[in-house]
Amino acid sequence: MTDQNVDRNEIAKFEALASRWWDPTSEFRPLHDINPLRLNYIDERAPLAGKRVLDVGCGGGLLSEGMAQRGAHVTGIDMGEAPLSVAKLHGLESGIKVDYRQTTVEDLARDADHAGQYDVVTCLEMLEHVPDPASVIRACSTLLKPGGHLFVSTINRNPKSFLFAIVGAEYVLNMLPKGTHEWKKFIRPSEMSDHLRHAGLEVLELTGMTYNPLTKIYKLGRDVDVNYLMHARDAREI
């Protein structure tokens, strides 16, 4: 992994939790709670039925299966062996077909069979866990068809995000295991926009995701101080 855009420690975190990926009461409850929001956000802006889709950093397959259920032909990639094993097993149990592969997005982009072949690429809750997020964005762009859609999500970097995403989520509310995130790896929307533009993509929309600890409900809106999603499109048809 020394010459790949991979952090061994980050992979180890999710390897240790992989068996609980599909348990909605486990450490992955936040992913289960936000998955319908993410799916609807993507499907409304790039209807998934019949599309060829790549899910980068697919983990245990929660988003991948959701997109496949909506009619997409999904490939899910991750560097964690245990999460991929869980994803494959769950796919066998659910009967939902996803092509899971253990590879980096950069390696996939160098494969002529995959470069320029995807209508939609998703990279959600993953970029804050890699050493070089710009490299991931460039590879995602390479994999898109002309005019294809890229969806990314991550966490903003500011004092509020430290308070909410780390102190609040990991130490006060115990929504996530302690040490899940490192504040210095969070990415400001302006930095994300630069990565996308430099990769030949046009930013179409920035949307925030907020959590109400009293109602325990997530919603999408204008507040991008902590979690946010960004929708971009390959600029070759624009």
Side-chain angles (χ1 to χ4, degrees), residues 1-15:
M1 294 184 186
T2 54
D3 60 346
Q4 294 177 318
N5 187 22
V6 169
D7 185 324
R8 290 176 183 265
N9 292 328
E10 295 287 353
I11 291 176
K13 291 177 188 177
F14 295 99
E15 289 268 343

Side-chain angles (χ1 to χ4, degrees), residues 16-208:
L17 301 172
S19 64
R20 299 191 288 277
W21 207 287
W22 282 90
D23 179 355
T25 66
S26 73
E27 299 91 337
F28 293 101
R29 177 176 176 174
L31 283 184
H32 286 265
D33 289 345
I34 67 175
N35 205 47
L37 288 177
R38 304 188 304 177
L39 274 170
N40 289 335
Y41 182 86
I42 295 164
D43 204 10
E44 288 169 2
R45 289 154 183 80
L48 292 166
K51 298 289 177 57
R52 190 175 183 191
V53 178
L54 176 69
D55 186 15
V56 179
C58 65
L62 197 60
L63 179 66
S64 296
E65 278 203 21
M67 293 191 291
Q69 280 184 307
R70 299 200 179 192
H73 306 286
V74 182
T75 299
I77 64 171
D78 202 283
M79 282 300 288
E81 184 177 355
L84 283 175
S85 296
V86 168
K88 291 174 182 177
L89 178 59
H90 194 272
L92 290 174
E93 294 172 345
S94 68
I96 299 171
K97 184 178 179 181
V98 176
D99 179 14
Y100 290 111
R101 303 182 180 212
Q102 186 176 16
T103 183
T104 65
V105 66
E106 289 91 347
D107 283 345
L108 197 71
R110 286 188 280 268
D111 185 339
D113 290 336
H114 291 271
Q117 297 300 309
Y118 292 94
D119 302 289
V120 176
V121 175
T122 62
C123 185
L124 308 188
E125 284 75 57
M126 180 264 199
L127 289 166
E128 67 272 22
H129 298 289
V130 298
D132 186 359
S135 173
V136 172
I137 296 296
R138 289 192 299 270
C140 289
S141 177
T142 298
L143 290 158
L144 282 173
K145 293 179 180 178
H149 297 262
L150 174 64
F151 295 90
V152 298
S153 68
T154 190
I155 307 175
N156 202 341
R157 189 175 73 256
N158 54 46
K160 183 177 176 180
S161 69
F162 178 81
L163 180 64
F164 280 69
I166 295 182
V167 177
E170 297 182 16
Y171 290 87
V172 177
L173 299 176
N174 294 314
M175 294 170 62
L176 299 169
K178 294 176 178 63
T180 297
H181 292 115
E182 295 180 44
W183 183 80
K184 66 181 181 180
K185 291 185 175 181
F186 292 172
I187 305 168
R188 296 189 181 104
S190 59
E191 296 167 340
M192 184 70 75
S193 296
D194 285 343
H195 294 332
L196 293 165
R197 283 193 289 269
H198 289 152
L201 300 164
E202 181 188 35
V203 177
L204 300 180
E205 187 177 37
L206 171 64
T207 302

Side-chain angles (χ1 to χ4, degrees), residues 212-224:
N212 185 324
L214 298 178
T215 63
K216 298 183 179 180
I217 293 175
Y218 290 87
K219 67 177 182 178
L220 301 181
R222 296 182 178 180
D223 184 351
V224 299

